[in-house]
Amino acid sequence: MIDKTSPLPIYYQLVEWIKGLIEQGVLQPGDSLPSEREYAERFSISRMTVRQAITELVNSGYLYRQKGVGTFVAEKKIEQQLMGLTSFTEDMKARGMEPSSKLVGFEIVPAPTYISEQLTIQEHAPVYEIKRIRLADGIPMALEKTYISANLVKGLTEEIVQNSLYHHIENQLSIKIDEATQVLESSVATQQEAEYLNIQKGAPILLIQRNTSLKDGTPLEIVKSSYRGDRYKFTITLKR
């Protein structure tokens, strides 16, 4: 398990060994890991080396720490391929997970300048401001704020936005969604984001802004999302 004659660093060997136990299912999400002292004694290595390995596994999302309690195996991250324009609901269903939404804000407001410019509508024109927690199998995955022109998409209600907006817009309103531009940034959770997503303030999150447009180029929506860094990762395939 740990070969001290190997050119591979000892901490790296420990990382790979623990990762192997997780990937093989020997260690399950929520399982508690032995202490640094126990690993150090078992492999006759320093606690600093063990700490380095554990920290790398925490940073890469395999483990998480609870202050004063211990270190535990994290839930497996949901991987999303950034190749097609799909909704959160469609993504989760494709993974065999049950999507749901918790509505925490729904109102028609005058469009702020930065929103009206991106939606190419008059400043202060009415827009829906929709704030939802997106869940998969009942677990909060993202906090999402959406802006849509109330003159373009009419008749939205709290009941409608509890489910897939894309499904309603395309199937009930016969409006064809064409493409979107997404910008991803890393950040840390604010107090409000932490409360909604059931994570610690300062925990890593992914900030994503999606600007979606219709077939004729008309801007449809602006979506600002905060995804849990411990449960979500995005993969991009690049071809030369």
Side-chain angles (χ1 to χ4, degrees), residues 154-170:
K154 301 180 184 296
L156 289 184
T157 65
E158 291 190 12
E159 183 179 0
I160 290 171
V161 300
Q162 296 271 15
N163 301 297
S164 173
L165 269 175
Y166 280 14
H167 183 273
H168 175 78
I169 289 169
E170 292 193 310

Side-chain angles (χ1 to χ4, degrees), residues 90-216:
E90 292 167 339
D91 288 337
M92 295 305 103
K93 285 184 175 179
R95 288 162 176 75
M97 304 179 79
E98 183 61 34
S100 60
S101 297
K102 181 179 179 182
L103 188 65
V104 293
F106 178 82
E107 57 183 328
I108 296 177
V109 300
T113 302
Y114 75 99
I115 294 296
S116 61
E117 288 176 349
Q118 293 181 70
L119 290 177
T120 63
I121 57 177
Q122 292 292 318
E123 187 175 2
H124 305 312
V127 293
Y128 297 103
E129 184 183 76
I130 306 161
K131 196 171 184 179
R132 299 181 290 179
I133 301 171
R134 311 309 300 269
L135 304 98
D137 290 343
I139 299 171
M141 294 291 175
L143 176 63
E144 182 181 278
K145 184 183 282 188
T146 303
Y147 293 94
I148 300 176
S149 169
N151 292 325
L152 176 65
V153 179
K154 301 180 184 296
L156 289 184
T157 65
E158 291 190 12
E159 183 179 0
I160 290 171
V161 300
Q162 296 271 15
N163 301 297
S164 173
L165 269 175
Y166 280 14
H167 183 273
H168 175 78
I169 289 169
E170 292 193 310
N171 293 277
Q172 302 300 318
L173 303 181
S174 298
I175 297 174
K176 183 62 177 174
I177 300 170
D178 184 44
E179 63 179 15
T181 299
Q182 287 196 155
V183 177
L184 287 74
E185 300 178 69
S186 61
S187 187
V188 294
T190 63
Q191 183 63 46
Q192 185 184 69
E193 289 167 334
E195 290 173 1
Y196 282 136
L197 296 175
N198 194 27
I199 56 177
Q200 294 292 318
K201 179 183 178 182
I205 58 173
L206 290 167
L207 297 179
I208 302 174
Q209 177 168 321
R210 173 185 284 190
N211 289 36
T212 308
S213 58
L214 307 179
K215 275 286 188 182
D216 62 2

